[in-house]
Amino acid sequence: MSNSECLVPLPYETRNLEVESFAVDDEFLLKPDLHILQSNLEAQEKEFKRIFVQAKIKKNAIEVSLILQKCGFYFMEVTVVPQSNLSKNAILHQFVENKSDFTPECYCQDDLNIQITNQDNIDVKESIKKIANKSFTDDRFHLDPKCPNSSADIRFVNWVGDLYSDENVTFYLLKYKADNIAFMCRKDSHLILAGFHSSYRNSGLGDYLWLSVMQDMIEEKITHANTLISVNNAAVLNLYARLGFKFKDTSMTYHYWS
């Protein structure tokens, strides 16, 4: 890609947001040019009328940040990458030895059950989609005043559907008695997405879900776990800190709407 074509189409976000969507190309961000970015934005707006563009930059990329802001981008979130060496994670080893220490007193451990779901099970898939539809409020699209909440919600429903079609993704379902209350999906060592039913969002069962998945990873001989999280999500950020994760690779995300 040449510097004259610095906007990369994002079909996924076009589907979710129902406006033509793009990302600023990573190579362009290494050598940004104000006039090239402006001309690209103008060309896409002329063709599509309404567009959305996102740009993800390193925290110390001050020059790039100034150029983005001059073009009409605005800061949306900071993300970090939590990482854990599972073989050295003391909290995980405590969980394996005694799960009851990580079960809130108001729940009976015998009523909690973690299942790896069958991707052909349509009922479970739809249940997870329903959880995903109302699980998230702290992501950048829910916090973006220019994005309708309905579009922000549907992003996660669509994401679950896409992940279900990937045979390399493992879905975990947390049940309490007969209720499906939470899910997590991962691909190899990467924890991709997790959500709780709104009725159980402050249940205190987050540690139990995450540690159960991490235990399964250890049993699969996976040595490390990692993910990506917005610092807007203080509750899950604190959860990762409690579970012994370290944080690295701080980045900033900017949004642009025509």
Side-chain angles (χ1 to χ4, degrees), residues 76-112:
M76 205 57 249
E77 71 172 2
V78 171
T79 58
V80 293
V81 175
Q83 292 185 333
S84 174
N85 183 330
L86 298 179
S87 63
K88 296 181 180 179
N89 188 311
I91 305 299
L92 175 57
H93 291 294
Q94 292 174 22
F95 176 78
V96 173
E97 292 177 2
N98 191 359
K99 290 182 174 59
S100 62
D101 288 346
F102 296 86
T103 306
E105 291 183 0
C106 57
Y107 294 96
C108 174
Q109 187 181 327
D110 291 340
D111 292 328
L112 292 170

Side-chain angles (χ1 to χ4, degrees), residues 15-32:
R15 174 186 60 173
N16 298 330
L17 304 175
E18 298 184 327
V19 298
E20 204 68 28
S21 300
F22 303 87
V24 180
D25 181 61
D26 290 339
E27 291 185 11
F28 173 84
L29 291 173
L30 295 175
K31 294 182 179 180

Side-chain angles (χ1 to χ4, degrees), residues 219-234:
E219 292 171 355
E220 287 189 17
K221 310 301 181 186
I222 296 173
T223 59
H224 290 75
N226 64 81
T227 189
L228 179 72
I229 184 174
S230 169
V231 299
N232 296 327
N233 194 342

